[in-house]
Structure formats: structure tokens, C-alpha cells
Amino acid sequence: MTAAPAGGWDAGTVAAEIAARVRDHVLSTGTGDFTAAGLGMGASGATLLLSELSKGDPGLRTTVHALLAAEAGFAGAKGSGLITGLAGLGLATKHAARSPRDYATVRGRVDAALRHRLGKVLDAEYDRMEFGVPGAERENFDVVAGVTGLGRYFLAEPSDPEAIHDVLRYLVALTEPVKATAGPLPGWFSPPWPAAVDPRRREWVLDLGLAHGIAGPLALLSLCWTRGLRVPGHDTAIRRIARWLMSWRQEDPAGPGWPGTVSADQELAPVRPALEPGRASWCYGAPGIARALHLAGVALGEEAWAHTAAEAMRAVFARPDGLRGLDDPGLCHGLAGLARITGRMADELDDPSLSARADEIAERLCARFDPGTAFGFPTAPMPSFRPEPLDAPTFLEGAAGVALVLLGRSTPPAGTADDDVPWDAALLLA
């Protein structure tokens, strides 16, 4: 067991300890012993962490190379998504590259494979739209496994404008209303998850979340607009989504928030019903949606959207139970994701109060660090999906993601070059 430092565990020392354990794990196993590809459960998350640290410690580059080689060895047989597969490896490779020549062969192969996958998904989706069939599968358009995540990969330098424009044209088409049995609905009206994914919810929904819902496409559309990558109908699509999200904000004494999903009946009701707000996380709830709405407000100069986003972030901390449900430390639905979004928003709003909140969450994470476990941040079991705690050096739910957040809170913000790939691009936060 590693002894606590004399001054206790602070953000910098926790991040360094996790990185050291990840490096030791890779060196002792040869590959890190990862059994999946991508940023969800694969080596790409550990690669992002060590790549970020290697900016100040070039000695870590050898371990970064080993992790990328291990991931490239089997990622092609897995999924394509930004979190679930090959695009995660691609983004980690772009983040790790320090010159145009670095990993050029791997990046070329990833690009070709993802362009092929993108084409297949878009062809199927355009066929569905042409025949007027409602039901956009979330795994086709979302951040985690779908086209939005692929678009963020292609946006990262070196970018592929042709692929980005293909993604944007599809997302614009996705915002066109559809005729469903219940009546006219937004084009992202989605069937339920497969029973193997979530056997509990069998209802068709409109998903608001950043991970799987329409906030993800809004973030990508906005990031591309700000960078000057635009297609016909682009601003109309941003407005459709942003106005729809604004129409579903739920106000309480603390401020605005949002539900996770809404049904067709709720969407078509004469008056928007009051719904329980989602937890304050990246995947669902106010933080992720607020970040997307802020990006949209900045892109199109809509101050009302940006103001609502800022108020929603402040409301998270004004509510007595604002952090309820954040039982895990990780990025997806835990404290680390909230800390990263809060810090991003604080910097861009120049809001010292939000910056202090981000630091407070970082302190809570440090207090939870358990040096007696493998990587310090085991998650709670999820009986339906994962009966045992997850204690892994992975990105979305594991220790690598937590360490990246703590690293960001422990070092002063630095200016970045235009071609830098920020690690939280994987979350569509930048």
C-alpha cells in the first residue's frame, strides 16, 4: 500500500500516483492487460492520461507507444465509436502525436476504417429518412457510439473536412420533424434501448443528454460552426435543438435544469409537464446540457442560451440536493465529469465562484482516493450490468479519467496551439 504524503492527498499527488500505477501496470503486463478497445474500457484512456503527462515528462512516451500498439492490435475488430471503439484509439493517437509524422500509419488506417463505417451508417439513416420511418437509433447519432462522436474525431487535428461535412449534413437532416404515430415529433425521436442494454425502459423517447441524446449533436454542430466548418441549414439545426432544450428547462428556486428523456405524449402535451431533473452529470442532466447550450450560444451569439447555461451550472450547487446521485468518482455519471464541466464553464465565464466549486469537487475526489485499491477509485457495483465494482485505469468510469480532471485542477491553465487536441474533446466539451 502506498503511504499518504505528509501533506495528505492533493490533486497533483493523486494524479501522479494514478499515473505511476498505470505505468507500472503496463510495464508489468507488457500491454496493460486491457481486454476491450476504446475510451470506455480500453487502453485509450490510460494513453490519454500518460500522453497528457508526457508534455512535461518525455520519459512517459515509451509507455504511451506501448499502449497505442496494444490497442491498435485488436481495436479494428471492435466497435467504431468515440467511447466504445476505434475512434477512441484514433483520438488518443492524435493527442499523443507531437509531429505530423507521429503514428501516421495508424492514423491513416483508423481514418479509412472510420470513413467506411461512417458511410454505412449514413447510407442506412438516409434510407430510413427517405421512407419516412421515424426512430433514430441513439447508437447511430450519439457521442458514445455514433456519428456525433465520429464527427469529433474527424474534427480533431489533423482534421478531415470532407468527413466532417458529411456528419454535419446528416445532423442537420436529423433535426427535421418526423411523422410518428402520436403526431409530429423532432427527428431524433428514438426507439428504446435493446433489452440487453436496458431491460427496464421500453418506451420511445426524446433523449436530452450529452452522452446519448440531442445535446451531443448540438455541441458538435456548435463547435464546427465556431471553427468555420458549415453546411446548408447548419444554423437552423442549432436553433431547432437549442430552442427545444430551452423549452424543456425545468425551473426551481435554484434555477434551471432538465430531465433526462421525455416521451412522445409529454412532448405533444399542450403544456410542458413538470418532470424530475436528471442528476448533475456529464451523461445526463444539467451540466452536460448546459455545456452544449453554452457552446451554441457562443457560436450563434445567442446570449439567452449562454445565460441559461451559466445559471443552470450555478443552480447545481445552489440546490441542497444538487449532487445527489453522484456516488461514483468517474467522468460519465460521477464527480469527475461534473468537476471538468464546472471548470470549463468557470474559465469561459470568468466566474470565480464556479472555479471554487470545481476545486471543491476535486478536493472531494482526493478525499475519496483509496491507496489500498488497485487504482484508487473503485466504482459502485451496477447489479443489472456489472455486479462487481470497477477498479481500472480506464477513461469514462475509471481512474485515468479522474486523474485527468485532477491534473487539470492542479496545474494552471496554459495556452494551447490551434492544432492541440484537448483530452476532453472525447466528451464533446471542447
Side-chain angles (χ1 to χ4, degrees):
M1 180 185 299
T2 303
W9 294 105
D10 61 22
T13 55
V14 170
E17 176 67 17
I18 293 171
R21 294 183 183 206
V22 172
R23 185 178 188 178
D24 290 347
H25 182 63
V26 173
L27 293 175
S28 66
T29 61
T31 63
D33 197 28
F34 291 93
T35 58
L39 286 165
M41 294 299 295
S44 297
T47 304
L48 278 182
L49 171 61
L50 297 182
S51 173
E52 188 76 12
L53 284 164
S54 75
K55 294 175 182 178
D57 181 2
L60 290 171
R61 299 290 294 166
T62 301
T63 312
V64 170
H65 301 334
L67 283 167
L68 286 173
E71 183 96 330
F74 63 85
K78 305 296 181 178
S80 300
L82 185 58
I83 300 298
T84 57
L86 192 58
L89 165 63
L91 193 78
T93 304
K94 289 185 177 186
H95 185 277
R98 299 292 182 261
S99 78
R101 297 184 302 276
D102 288 352
Y103 313 115
T105 300
V106 173
R107 287 192 281 109
R109 291 174 179 171
V110 170
D111 282 358
L114 292 179
R115 282 296 261 128
H116 176 70
R117 169 59 179 163
L118 176 64
K120 290 180 65 176
V121 173
L122 295 186
D123 286 347
E125 277 292 87
Y126 284 131
D127 285 346
R128 177 186 66 80
M129 292 174 178
E130 183 178 352
F131 286 102
V133 179
E137 298 277 359
R138 283 171 280 185
E139 66 181 11
N140 284 336
F141 71 79
D142 71 9
V143 169
V144 171
V147 164
T148 297
L150 297 187
R152 188 60 187 90
Y153 163 75
F154 286 118
L155 183 60
E157 295 293 341
S159 65
D160 181 348
E162 181 183 356
I164 295 166
H165 285 117
D166 287 346
V167 170
L168 293 174
R169 282 188 283 267
Y170 163 70
L171 293 179
V172 169
L174 185 69
T175 68
E176 292 289 340
V178 295
K179 295 180 180 178
T181 303
L185 293 167
W188 56 91
F189 186 52
S190 298
W193 293 115
V197 176
D198 190 343
R200 300 164 299 174
R201 299 182 177 89
R202 312 310 306 151
E203 187 177 38
W204 287 56
V205 295
L206 291 155
D207 195 314
L208 290 81
L210 183 58
H212 297 296
I214 199 59
L218 178 63
L220 182 67
L221 287 161
S222 303
L223 288 166
C224 291
W225 182 274
T226 300
R227 287 164 171 75
L229 290 159
R230 302 172 184 179
V231 297
H234 194 146
D235 58 335
T236 299
I238 292 174
R239 293 184 188 281
R240 277 177 173 158
I241 300 170
R243 288 170 176 166
W244 185 81
L245 289 173
M246 290 287 285
S247 78
W248 271 107
R249 67 189 186 277
Q250 308 284 301
E251 297 281 351
D252 65 17
W258 287 270
T261 61
V262 297
S263 68
D265 288 343
Q266 289 165 340
E267 170 67 14
L268 294 171
V271 178
R272 291 285 198 236
L275 300 175
E276 182 74 14
R279 63 188 167 202
S281 62
W282 168 75
C283 55
Y284 285 98
I289 295 170
R291 180 58 183 166
L293 201 56
H294 175 80
L295 291 171
V298 170
L300 296 190
E302 291 285 351
E303 293 185 6
W305 304 347
H307 175 76
T308 296
E311 290 303 300
M313 286 305 306
R314 297 181 185 116
V316 167
F317 301 100
R319 294 186 182 98
D321 62 346
L323 302 190
R324 65 176 174 80
L326 295 185
D327 300 319
D328 276 336
L331 288 169
C332 183
H333 45 265
L335 292 168
L338 175 59
R340 186 61 179 181
I341 297 173
T342 305
R344 273 274 180 197
M345 294 288 282
D347 291 344
E348 294 177 24
L349 296 169
D350 193 20
D351 186 329
S353 66
L354 281 179
S355 184
R357 295 296 195 178
D359 288 335
E360 288 172 10
I361 302 170
E363 291 171 3
R364 285 184 60 173
L365 283 167
C366 291
R368 289 187 56 167
F369 179 66
D370 183 355
T373 62
F375 296 99
F377 286 104
T379 67
M382 300 172 65
S384 300
F385 307 104
R386 188 177 60 235
E388 299 297 326
L390 173 70
D391 185 6
T394 52
F395 178 75
L396 193 63
E397 295 181 83
V402 179
L404 281 162
V405 171
L406 294 177
L407 184 65
R409 298 314 301 170
S410 65
T411 56
T416 57
D418 290 341
D419 59 352
D420 277 355
V421 180
W423 67 263
D424 60 354
L427 302 173
L428 267 290
L429 301 182

